[in-house]
């Protein structure tokens, strides 16, 4: 693969049916990458594959629940059978639950979030790795600032994304001589369906009011996809989007202060914006 384009390379994008994954698929299609599009919503994947094909490339929808190991194995096998190689694996599928840990009635939702946000990446990576090694390819794990800096009311999401960062760091070292790179990307908020789908403690999605978290300045999915692909191209180890770098430095110096800031100045206003949207 040249350092500058993904033309004719074979890419798997998980979580491709919406948001950042969809934007990644369209950008990759424009560059001429051949695509396996994975998520659960077969109808959306079919329409996206059609859109990618209309951009002049090959794309196949592969409906997959990444929380299920056997489905990940099948998806990777299908991709290899279809295209004969795998150059890029973007582990992007993700979900979240917003609730106090003690308010969860049982641990099923917690486990589900970790299954999708962490094990989904582990499963896809495990089965794609032999092919990626042959192609000296790239693994990109879409994490979150929550993977480096904890926030409250998101224990499963933060735990899953922290695990993802540890997995990425460890695997990168193991693969140092293999030609396969591991890039972890930690976005701040991106305007997608993520916070509409974000579940409460009963597993019900927030709905349209989840969008109240976003402002005009919130990053678009397409801009995020551009950053993700540039990092993959350069085989960067990690991308920590603003204000993650400042937060991490501050946490080294004054961790309790950062905790208080996150609770009072960050989460408080965010929760109030969503609650106000509920009342309107
Ligand atoms: N938006 C943000 O503010 C933000 C910030 C930091 C990090 N991120 C991360 O960015 C990634 C992409 O999220 P997004 O913002 O683009 O949200 P999104 O619009 O909700 O997209 C999430 C994608 O994940 C897929 N997905 C969910 N559960 C799945 C499962 N079990 N198996 C396969 N696919 C599944 C969804 O498709 P189906 O429903 O069709 O399966 C969808 O395509 C996530 O990992 C998220 O944690 C987002």
């Amino acid at each position: 693969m040249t350092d500058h384009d993904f033309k004719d390379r074979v890419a798997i994008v998980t979580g491709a049916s919406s948001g950042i994954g969809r934007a990644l698929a369209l950008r990759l299609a424009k560059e001429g990458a051949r695509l396996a599009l994975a998520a659960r919503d077969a109808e959306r994947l079919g329409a996206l594959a059609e859109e990618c094909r209309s951009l002049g490339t090959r794309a196949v929808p592969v409906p997959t629940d990444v929380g299920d190991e056997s489905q990940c194995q099948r998806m990777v096998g299908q991709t290899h059978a279809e295209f004969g190689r795998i150059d890029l694996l973007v582990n992007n599928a993700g979900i979240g639950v917003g609730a106090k840990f003690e308010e969860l009635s049982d641990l099923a939702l917690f486990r589900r979030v970790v299954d999708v946000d962490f094990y989904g990446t582990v499963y896809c990576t495990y089965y794609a790795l032999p092919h990626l090694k042959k192609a000296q390819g790239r693994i990109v794990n879409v994490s979150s600032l929550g993977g480096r800096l904890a926030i409250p009311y998101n224990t499963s999401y933060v735990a899953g994304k922290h695990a993802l960062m540890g997995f990425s760091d460890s695997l990168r070292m193991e693969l140092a001589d293999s030609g396969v790179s591991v890039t972890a990307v930690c976005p701040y908020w991106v305007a997608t369906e993520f916070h509409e789908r974000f579940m409460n403690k009963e597993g019900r999605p927030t709905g349209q009011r989840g969008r109240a978290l976003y402002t005009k300045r919130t990053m678009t999915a397409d801009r995020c996809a551009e950053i993700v692909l540039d990092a993959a191209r350069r085989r960067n180890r990690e991308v920590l989007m603003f204000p993650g770098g400042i937060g991490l430095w501050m946490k080294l110096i004054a961790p309790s202060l950062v905790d208080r800031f996150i609770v009072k100045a960050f989460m408080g206003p965010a929760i109030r914006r969503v609650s106000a949207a509920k009342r309107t």
Side-chain angles (χ1 to χ4, degrees):
M1 191 183 297
T2 73
D3 267 355
H4 301 291
D5 88 49
F6 290 104
K7 187 162 171 45
D8 293 329
R9 302 300 164 179
V10 175
I12 294 174
V13 179
T14 73
S17 63
S18 115
I20 299 166
R22 181 183 151 77
L24 281 165
L26 289 169
R27 277 192 168 265
L28 284 163
K30 281 178 197 149
E31 290 195 28
R34 292 169 286 165
L35 291 163
L37 307 170
R40 291 163 305 167
D41 189 326
E43 206 172 309
R44 279 187 174 198
L45 288 182
L48 177 62
E50 191 60 52
E51 206 174 332
C52 291
R53 287 195 287 270
S54 75
L55 293 166
T57 192
R58 283 171 66 196
V60 289
V62 192
T64 309
D65 180 340
V66 299
D68 179 330
E69 180 178 348
S70 61
Q71 291 191 38
C72 295
Q73 181 177 19
R74 196 204 56 213
M75 180 273 289
V76 170
Q78 250 177 271
T79 305
H80 191 258
E82 176 78 25
F83 297 115
R85 58 186 291 144
I86 301 174
D87 299 276
L88 173 66
L89 169 65
V90 187
N91 292 301
N92 164 76
I95 56 171
V97 171
K100 270 190 174 174
F101 181 67
E102 65 184 17
E103 287 175 357
L104 295 170
S105 58
D106 59 43
L107 291 173
L109 266 180
F110 190 104
R111 207 171 279 120
R112 178 70 185 150
V113 172
V114 176
D115 278 346
V116 174
D117 293 3
F118 174 57
Y119 277 106
T121 291
V122 173
Y123 300 146
C124 293
T125 302
Y126 182 78
Y127 292 107
L129 193 51
H131 308 300
L132 289 164
K133 282 177 83 170
K134 275 190 201 143
Q136 301 213 316
R138 291 158 161 85
I139 298 167
V140 178
N141 295 332
V142 179
S143 179
S144 165
L145 287 190
R148 286 290 189 215
L149 281 166
I151 53 171
Y153 322 121
N154 284 266
T155 47
S156 52
Y157 184 74
V158 167
K161 293 295 190 182
H162 269 69
L164 183 55
M165 296 308 288
F167 174 70
S168 305
D169 286 345
S170 181
L171 186 65
R172 183 183 305 111
M173 287 187 259
E174 290 183 21
L175 293 176
D177 298 326
S178 71
V180 179
S181 53
V182 180
T183 299
V185 182
C186 300
Y188 182 48
W189 280 333
V190 183
T192 66
E193 293 177 28
F194 189 78
H195 291 96
E196 286 176 54
R197 294 162 180 239
F198 206 74
M199 292 174 279
N200 68 7
K201 62 182 184 206
E202 279 96 30
R204 277 200 305 275
T206 307
Q208 184 65 28
R209 69 194 168 89
R211 292 230 162 218
L213 286 177
Y214 309 142
T215 67
K216 276 189 214 149
R217 292 169 62 189
T218 302
M219 184 179 282
T220 64
D222 185 55
R223 173 66 186 134
C224 186
E226 184 180 22
I227 292 170
V228 171
L229 287 186
D230 281 350
R233 235 183 280 283
R234 297 193 185 113
R235 298 186 185 271
N236 289 346
R237 52 183 293 136
E238 182 172 339
V239 179
L240 202 57
M241 295 191 196
F242 183 82
I246 297 168
L248 267 188
W249 273 109
M250 287 296 297
K251 193 160 181 173
L252 282 175
I253 301 160
S256 303
L257 188 71
V258 171
D259 284 357
R260 282 202 299 279
F261 178 84
I262 286 173
V263 173
K264 292 230 168 1
F266 175 72
M267 288 306 283
I271 291 167
R272 280 196 293 280
R273 283 216 297 284
V274 175
S275 305
K278 183 183 182 181
R279 286 195 292 273
T280 55

